Amino acid sequence: MATPKIVLFYVFTPLPDPEAVRLWQHTLAESLGLKGRVIISEHGINATLGGDIGEVKAYVRATKSYEPFRGADIKWSNGQGDDFPRLSVKVRPELVTFGTDDEITVTADGVQGGGTHLKPGALHKLMDERGDEVVFFDGRNAMEAQIGKFRDAIVPDTETTRDFIAEIESGKYDDLKDKPVVTYCTGGIRCEVLSVLMRNRGFNEVYQLDGGIVRYGETFGNSGYWDGSLYVFDKRMHVEFGAGAESIGRCVACGESTPEFVNCADLACRKLYLRCAECTAAGRQPRCTECVAAPYPAEAAAG
Ligand SMILES: [Zn+2]
Ligand SMILES: [Zn+2]
């Protein structure tokens, strides 16, 4: 592959016939040899696709030629080639699975009732004016924040996006209800929904980082409020915004800074945990900390 590129974008817009859009998107992406994941629902489209730059550009042009997708904000990043195992284009009830389909209203203008969008520059303006009050609220799964997050961000205890409702209804964040809260996620899509859910539950001043961490990193690199690496859902697994990014993640075996996630060797677990390249090469601690704490069934039986 000459110049591998990855595109990431979403559009919230009413799609009366998601199945027709799925067929079109599948044919389009497949004909161009792209791989990755596209989710379509009655609320729009969410896509992460990789391929050679010429083919990816042709895909973007064709996708934007469909009127409801014309305004799609496309985020580009460099791939390594073969970043995704296959092409998957699916219709789902929700673009992001919060389990709150009926709480979200989407019009041609996007999601209704969400937090105020802040572009990276506007976020810095808010921080300049009210930095002492502003709270960053991580809209991703907690695991992703292990290698990078906004400074002093609150990281809810979430294994999947479905866990957010219980978290924001738990009362543990009630002290934030009258503070300026900035939600952020990888590309911005999860915050489109999360910020609605938070506003509906009494958080009075909610902002969402427009374009997510990806756009912020392009704009400010490591010189702003972002610390560490960004977890991504393809073979790269993490990206850094320029040189000098030190991951905030720590290897479970040696404690060194690392952005490298590996799967737990226990086949019943397979959870991702942090282990540096050196410890991986040396075969140190092949299981996650929870599995290390719990004995193997065989050991338990023998012991
Ligand atoms: Zn290590
Ligand atoms: Zn494990």
Side-chain angles (χ1 to χ4, degrees):
M1 201 177 286
T3 311
K5 285 280 178 186
I6 294 172
V7 282
L8 181 74
F9 71 93
Y10 65 86
V11 182
F12 278 99
T13 188
L15 297 178
D17 190 350
E19 181 58 23
V21 175
R22 186 195 70 78
L23 279 169
W24 163 57
Q25 279 285 308
H26 188 270
T27 305
L28 175 63
E30 190 173 50
S31 71
L32 293 165
L34 306 187
K35 286 179 180 175
R37 203 169 73 128
V38 182
I39 293 173
I40 293 143
S41 85
E42 288 181 357
H43 286 165
I45 184 169
N46 181 22
T48 309
L49 288 169
D52 195 54
I53 187 165
E55 277 68 43
V56 180
K57 278 186 170 170
Y59 165 82
V60 168
R61 264 196 310 276
T63 296
K64 283 189 152 193
S65 72
Y66 181 52
E67 181 59 31
F69 298 160
R70 185 169 299 279
D73 175 21
I74 312 283
K75 290 153 221 116
W76 293 86
S77 59
N78 295 323
Q80 298 170 340
D82 198 27
D83 295 286
F84 303 92
R86 67 188 76 82
L87 172 67
S88 159
V89 185
K90 286 190 172 138
V91 172
R92 291 260 175 85
E94 292 175 280
L95 288 186
V96 274
T97 310
F98 281 87
T100 53
D101 199 20
D102 47 0
E103 205 177 317
I104 301 300
T105 306
V106 172
T107 73
D109 297 324
V111 180
Q112 300 302 293
T116 307
H117 287 86
L118 291 179
K119 291 198 186 309
L123 169 64
H124 278 213
K125 190 157 174 283
L126 179 73
M127 293 301 286
D128 289 343
E129 289 165 4
R130 301 172 65 193
D132 295 344
E133 295 170 77
V134 176
V135 178
F136 288 109
F137 196 87
D138 203 307
R140 302 171 299 162
N141 302 330
M143 180 272 288
E144 299 171 54
Q146 284 179 22
I147 58 170
K149 62 187 173 77
F150 275 97
R151 196 157 307 162
D152 301 325
I154 288 176
V155 179
D157 183 14
T158 50
E159 237 173 83
T160 75
T161 307
R162 286 183 181 280
D163 298 332
F164 271 99
I165 290 285
E167 276 291 294
I168 59 177
E169 288 180 352
S170 68
K172 47 178 158 168
Y173 310 112
D174 283 2
D175 58 319
L176 307 182
K177 286 187 170 172
D178 291 310
K179 286 189 178 170
V181 175
V182 178
T183 65
Y184 67 89
C185 58
T186 312
I189 187 169
R190 288 179 273 186
C191 295
E192 296 275 4
V193 178
L194 176 61
S195 65
V196 174
L197 305 179
M198 291 181 79
R199 289 191 62 195
N200 287 354
R201 284 159 184 77
F203 293 81
N204 290 311
E205 193 179 352
V206 182
Y207 301 89
Q208 52 181 318
L209 182 59
D210 200 48
I213 303 158
V214 171
R215 186 54 42 81
Y216 183 87
E218 284 170 5
T219 313
F220 290 111
N222 298 310
S223 67
Y225 296 98
W226 177 259
D227 293 324
S229 308
L230 169 62
Y231 182 83
V232 293
F233 296 87
D234 57 64
K235 223 164 74 184
R236 299 172 300 167
M237 295 196 74
H238 61 90
V239 294
E240 282 72 37
F241 302 119
E246 193 187 347
S247 172
I248 63 170
R250 297 280 157 199
C251 172
V252 296
C254 73
E256 282 300 306
S257 165
T258 183
E260 307 286 338
F261 279 104
V262 293
N263 281 109
C264 177
D266 189 324
L267 294 179
C269 175
R270 301 304 283 164
K271 235 182 85 172
L272 288 169
Y273 68 102
L274 290 167
R275 187 175 61 183
C276 75
E278 202 178 306
C279 289
T280 294
R284 293 187 196 112
Q285 197 164 332
R287 294 180 297 150
C288 74
T289 42
E290 276 111 279
C291 288
V292 167
Y296 273 128
E299 287 172 358

